[in-house]
């Protein structure tokens, strides 16, 4: 029989904050969060959240606050640099009918602020600037120690510390290490003032021979746009032999050449896109560079008193837009299994894993498949791809396939409805 009165959460990202709220409110567990950074993170561009994640944010009571900040972006327009409009689709129309939620694009900082507001509202303690150095697990408790000499003890430890998780590295699964996906993204948030109306309300995607250019409104007023180039990028050479140094040099280079790269790539752009892309380049100031790492599937997720949630356990490529939603689903399911008072902790964690594995594997593979579409290609292959897409989107529209929910069933999955 498991009685969890106190939990330590490492990491104040979406997984850690959602788990803290859910366990505090639904399980009456005394929760403390420890975060590595000196203050709430404000890095990153914007992220997309699909109906399965938005539904859970709604259950956390946060949807209205998010709606006041983020953009609901239902329609995606696909364009060709050479051939004009390829087609459009509503990427979550069917899921929206079933769940009541569409697709939201929101600045990452805004999502975290809304989560933090709720955490403060519940008076859940969050300690910043805490570097975890050791974990000791005993028969009835687990103790964590930080580099400043402080420590804490609880019934369970929840590792929500992202893809480079210390909880995983120090304790749960040191053998599982992040691997590079071969894809990197560079992007910026810019003002939409003076740009065409469609950029303020809808998503616009341009496949190119080098990768994909995408533009998403990311504020409720439509005045902020996140645009990025996502493309195949080889692991950089590093003179020191250290891959991290190589990425740092590559990051610097990307800052210098991003604008000229886009200008060169988009020279053949037709019609209004030529002017739009030039305007985006001109108003781009701070550029973020994100080589995409993931964790290999199949790593260990828990020990007798410690469990990994979110990217710490199963970081996937962002190309299915599901990383945050997976973290939220994890938090909700953990709360449910810990509520089963007749279950031992071991049984609760085992059931958690049995339910999460197939779901994570499915979306991990989908993200990897979508990521492959960002690989460099020849002009001829791009032309064929654009025409296939044109035919597909046309058929989709003519036959009304949107109403069939093709490719959207994973968006209506409800973790609270899954049988334990
Ligand atoms: C370029 C890019 C684009 C993305 N786009 C999307 C998208 O559109 N939609 C989507 O759903 N997902 C997207 N993702 C994925 C998404 O960001 C993650 O899946 C999500 O943030 C996972 O949440 P998390 O809380 O598990 O981890 P994180 O968000 O990484 O949070 C981990 C937290 O733990 C802290 N931490 C790290 N180490 C320690 C430590 N040792 N001790 C204490 N604290 C620690 C970190 O500072 C951080 O605050 C994207 C990711 C990238 C890289």
């Amino acid at each position: 029989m498991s009685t969890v009165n106190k939990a330590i959460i490492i990491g104040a990202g979406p997984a850690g904050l959602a788990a803290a709220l859910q366990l505090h409110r639904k399980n009456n567990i005394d929760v403390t969060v420890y975060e590595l950074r000196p203050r709430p993170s404000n890095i990153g561009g914007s992220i997309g959240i699909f109906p399965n994640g938005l539904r859970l944010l709604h259950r956390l009571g946060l949807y209205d606050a998010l709606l006041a900040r983020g953009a609901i972006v239902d329609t995606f327009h696909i364009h060709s640099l050479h051939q004009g409009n390829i087609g459009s689709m509503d990427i979550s129309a069917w899921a929206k009918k079933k769940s009541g939620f569409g697709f939201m694009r929101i600045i990452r900082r805004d999502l975290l602020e809304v989560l933090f507001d709720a955490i403060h509202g519940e008076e859940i303690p969050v300690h910043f600037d805490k570097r975890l150095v050791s974990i000791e697990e005993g028969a009835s408790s687990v103790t964590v120690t930080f580099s400043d000499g402080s420590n804490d003890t609880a019934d369970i430890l929840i590792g929500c510390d992202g893809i480079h998780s210390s909880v995983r590295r120090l304790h749960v699964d040191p053998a599982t290490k992040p691997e590079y996906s071969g894809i990197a993204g560079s992007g910026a948030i810019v003002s939409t003032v003076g740009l065409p109306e469609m950029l303020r309300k809808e998503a616009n995607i341009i496949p190119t021979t080098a990768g994909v250019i995408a533009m998403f409104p990311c504020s409720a007023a439509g005045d902020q746009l996140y645009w990025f180039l996502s493309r195949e990028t080889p692991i950089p050479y590093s003179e020191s032999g250290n891959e991290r140094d190589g990425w740092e040099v590559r990051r610097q280079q990307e800052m210098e050449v991003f604008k000229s790269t886009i200008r060169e790539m988009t020279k053949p752009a037709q019609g209004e896109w030529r002017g739009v892309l030039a305007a985006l380049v001109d108003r781009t100031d701070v550029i973020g560079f994100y080589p995409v790492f993931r964790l290999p599937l199949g790593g260990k997720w828990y020990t007798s008193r410690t469990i990994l949630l979110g990217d710490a356990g199963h970081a996937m490529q962002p190309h299915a837009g599901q990383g945050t939603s997976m973290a939220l689903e994890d938090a909700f399911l953990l709360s449910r299994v810990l509520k089963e008072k007749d279950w031992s902790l071991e049984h609760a964690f085992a059931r958690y894993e049995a339910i999460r594995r197939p779901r994570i594997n499915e979306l991990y593979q989908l993200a990897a498949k979508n990521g492959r579409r960002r690989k460099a290609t020849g002009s001829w292959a791009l032309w064929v791809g654009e025409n296939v897409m044109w035919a597909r989107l046309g058929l989709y529209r003519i036959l009304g396939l949107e109403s069939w929910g093709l490719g959207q069933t994973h968006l209506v999955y409800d973790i609270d409805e899954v049988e334990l």
Side-chain angles (χ1 to χ4, degrees), residues 10-16 34-37 41 46-49 105 108 130-132 160-166 290 292 309-312 318 321-325 327:
I10 305 292
Y34 292 92
E35 163 62 39
L36 181 66
R37 293 176 197 277
S41 164
S46 80
I47 56 171
I49 310 178
R105 195 86 199 180
R108 187 187 292 268
K130 288 288 185 178
R131 180 176 294 279
L132 185 68
C160 300
D161 47 348
I163 185 166
H164 302 288
S165 167
S166 294
Y290 308 101
V292 172
L309 304 192
D311 277 12
Q322 282 290 342
T324 304
S325 299

Side-chain angles (χ1 to χ4, degrees), residues 9-18 33-41 43-50 103-106 108 111-112 115-116 127-133 146 159-167 169-170 184-186 216 226 228 289-293 309-328 330:
I9 295 179
I10 305 292
L17 299 177
V33 182
Y34 292 92
E35 163 62 39
L36 181 66
R37 293 176 197 277
R39 61 191 68 85
S41 164
I43 56 161
S46 80
I47 56 171
I49 310 178
F50 278 98
F103 174 73
M104 179 183 284
R105 195 86 199 180
I106 186 165
R108 187 187 292 268
L111 169 66
L112 286 175
L115 282 161
F116 266 110
H127 301 282
F128 292 96
D129 220 353
K130 288 288 185 178
R131 180 176 294 279
L132 185 68
V133 290
F146 299 98
C160 300
D161 47 348
I163 185 166
H164 302 288
S165 167
S166 294
V167 178
R169 182 174 47 81
L170 291 171
S186 311
F216 290 94
Y226 183 55
F228 58 86
F289 175 63
Y290 308 101
V292 172
F293 285 79
L309 304 192
D311 277 12
H314 49 67
M316 55 184 68
Q317 292 173 225
H319 306 123
Q322 282 290 342
T324 304
S325 299
M326 291 303 101
L328 292 163
D330 288 356

Side-chain angles (χ1 to χ4, degrees), residues 8-71:
I8 293 169
I9 295 179
I10 305 292
L17 299 177
L21 286 172
Q22 198 62 359
L23 297 181
H24 170 83
R25 290 172 175 170
K26 302 287 181 196
N27 302 65
N28 205 19
I29 292 176
D30 179 8
V31 192
T32 305
V33 182
Y34 292 92
E35 163 62 39
L36 181 66
R37 293 176 197 277
R39 61 191 68 85
S41 164
N42 61 0
I43 56 161
S46 80
I47 56 171
I49 310 178
F50 278 98
N52 53 314
L54 289 180
R55 174 162 32 204
L56 301 182
L57 289 162
H58 176 65
R59 285 188 190 143
L60 287 174
L62 307 180
Y63 185 67
D64 289 344
L66 293 169
L67 205 52
R69 295 174 181 237

Side-chain angles (χ1 to χ4, degrees), residues 2 42 61 180 258 333 388:
S2 81
N42 61 0
Y180 178 52
F258 178 72
L333 182 61
V388 168

